[in-house]
Amino acid sequence: MNVPSVPVTDGVTNAKRGLAGTPVTIVDDRIVAPELIQDNTRFIFTERTSPDPGPYTSANGYTGYTMLSLVHGGLIAPSIMYRDLSSDDTAALRTDSTIADSALDRAVWFNTGIDPDTGETSLFSHTGSSGHTYALHGNEYGFITQRVDSLEDDAALRVKLYEYVSDYLDEDLTSLGVEIRLSPVERIVSERDANIPVTADVPDGSKAVLKKDGVSVASATFANGKAMISVKGSDVDAGANYAVVVYDGSEILGAVILQVVTAVSATPSATVERLNGNQNRLTVTVTEVYSDDSTEAFTEEILIRNNAADVYQVGPYKVYVDTNGHNKIRDCYIVNE
């Protein structure tokens, strides 16, 4: 949760609003107490590119990430952690469901090399146009960001990331509460209608709700442990954060992050198989590549006459194919309407 201010102490030069810390007990490099860690300490790292990174570019060996806190103020709503604007040496930490692209440099975090002996690193944000570097700074009161000239000398800038695991089962780090399965839908595509199958061991009549930046945009009712959420493409935005939240009445049973990707390319191909009689079998495939480098292929088989030329619906695409002879493809391309 947010704390009113982190006071001037332990290297903090100006009291600023920060994020509360939870004291923990560590034995053999494991957090053993408290047994229940506050959910808002579970962060989900998403690779993002800063609009103003200065020298901290991929070409120089740096990868930027946003940090999403799955729980925010008691609500299941993915929230971005970012540093506030500040002319002081200390900047407040804030969390929100959205941040403007022009301010994204304050929400993209880089890290120094991870110490092979301690596992520690320093998390920092950098604004190239101003040359300001703010590192995540922790003390007994909580966390803020502190402007630094060097990332190497201050122990208060060191953090260590712990994987959340259980002695009883492997746990999906992007989920909270009851296990929710979205298979085979691992992500939805920006600006495209989608049907999201949700499976969970919950009472009949429970609701599966798709939330966009914490706001409900679609829902479905469970029957026999299954529900199907249908969402319009107009509600699917690659710049937003999505979670599927399951409710039994007003009680939250669980939640899981749902990734959104953008289609960056689509390549059509076609083959013709000669059949007996006056028909051939045309197979048309469109292979999409997404922003996370994953791929998906849409395929349709159509019976055609010899030397046919037509437009065919293949997944979300219309594809023109011109055939020649029994098994030759003269032309094949996506029709842009």
Side-chain angles (χ1 to χ4, degrees):
M1 59 181 170
N2 294 315
V3 293
S5 66
V6 174
V8 178
T9 183
D10 295 334
V12 178
T13 55
N14 300 87
K16 295 288 182 177
R17 174 182 174 178
L19 298 182
T22 300
V24 298
T25 301
I26 299 174
V27 177
D28 294 333
D29 211 28
R30 292 188 178 188
I31 298 174
V32 297
E35 292 185 1
L36 179 62
I37 303 295
Q38 289 183 351
D39 293 317
N40 56 7
T41 65
R42 294 194 198 179
F43 286 104
I44 298 165
F45 287 76
T46 304
E47 185 173 330
R48 293 295 297 269
T49 300
S50 169
D52 192 11
Y56 299 106
T57 62
S58 57
N60 288 335
Y62 289 90
T63 301
Y65 300 89
T66 52
M67 283 190 276
L68 296 182
S69 175
L70 183 59
V71 178
H72 175 70
L75 299 176
I76 303 291
S79 300
I80 301 169
M81 189 178 87
Y82 64 98
R83 63 173 172 86
D84 207 356
L85 280 172
S86 178
S87 58
D88 295 330
D89 287 340
T90 308
L93 270 178
R94 297 186 181 274
T95 56
D96 205 343
S97 58
T98 60
I99 188 168
D101 288 344
S102 59
L104 190 60
D105 58 287
R106 293 187 281 115
V108 174
W109 298 84
F110 304 97
N111 66 282
T112 59
I114 298 176
D115 189 299
D117 296 321
T118 67
E120 294 178 347
T121 184
S122 294
L123 293 173
F124 64 95
S125 65
H126 180 83
T127 301
S129 55
S130 67
H132 290 165
T133 302
Y134 283 83
L136 188 65
H137 180 113
N139 60 31
E140 62 180 305
Y141 300 99
F143 294 89
I144 44 78
T145 56
Q146 185 73 2
R147 189 159 64 186
V148 295
D149 296 322
S150 172
L151 293 161
E152 303 299 331
D153 301 327
D154 192 345
L157 306 181
R158 300 287 187 268
V159 297
K160 188 169 183 176
L161 306 181
Y162 285 85
E163 181 183 12
Y164 186 86
V165 297
S166 165
D167 291 336
Y168 307 104
L169 50 83
D170 292 330
E171 186 165 278
D172 182 354
L173 296 181
T174 62
S175 69
L176 173 72
V178 68
E179 182 184 5
I180 299 171
R181 297 176 297 279
L182 306 179
S183 180
V185 176
E186 297 179 353
R187 69 279 190 278
I188 51 179
V189 182
S190 178
E191 300 181 359
R192 184 174 297 169
D193 294 356
N195 292 316
I196 306 166
V198 185
T199 304
D201 185 12
V202 296
D204 286 356
S206 299
K207 292 286 187 180
V209 180
L210 179 66
K211 292 201 171 186
K212 173 184 179 181
D213 291 331
V215 178
S216 301
V217 293
S219 64
T221 302
F222 275 93
N224 298 320
K226 297 181 181 297
M228 181 70 76
I229 301 176
S230 296
V231 58
K232 296 293 186 183
S234 57
D235 284 322
V236 182
D237 178 7
N241 304 305
Y242 291 82
V244 174
V245 185
V246 175
Y247 293 88
D248 183 9
S250 59
E251 180 186 0
I252 296 174
L253 301 180
V256 64
I257 293 291
L258 179 60
Q259 184 183 8
V260 182
V261 296
T262 303
V264 296
S265 67
T267 304
S269 61
T271 59
V272 177
E273 178 187 357
R274 182 178 179 180
L275 303 178
N276 294 329
N278 60 358
Q279 287 187 319
N280 294 333
R281 180 182 290 110
L282 173 67
T283 302
V284 186
T285 299
V286 177
T287 302
E288 279 190 328
V289 178
Y290 300 112
S291 51
D292 64 350
D293 294 326
S294 64
T295 62
E296 183 174 356
F298 303 94
T299 300
E300 290 291 335
E301 291 186 352
I302 310 104
L303 293 178
I304 62 171
R305 300 182 68 86
N306 196 31
N307 297 322
D310 207 342
V311 175
Y312 306 97
Q313 189 71 44
V314 182
Y317 296 96
K318 294 183 183 296
V319 182
Y320 174 80
V321 182
D322 184 2
T323 63
N324 182 29
H326 291 295
N327 59 1
K328 297 294 191 297
I329 302 297
R330 179 179 294 169
D331 209 353
C332 177
Y333 58 83
I334 292 173
V335 177
N336 296 314
E337 297 180 332

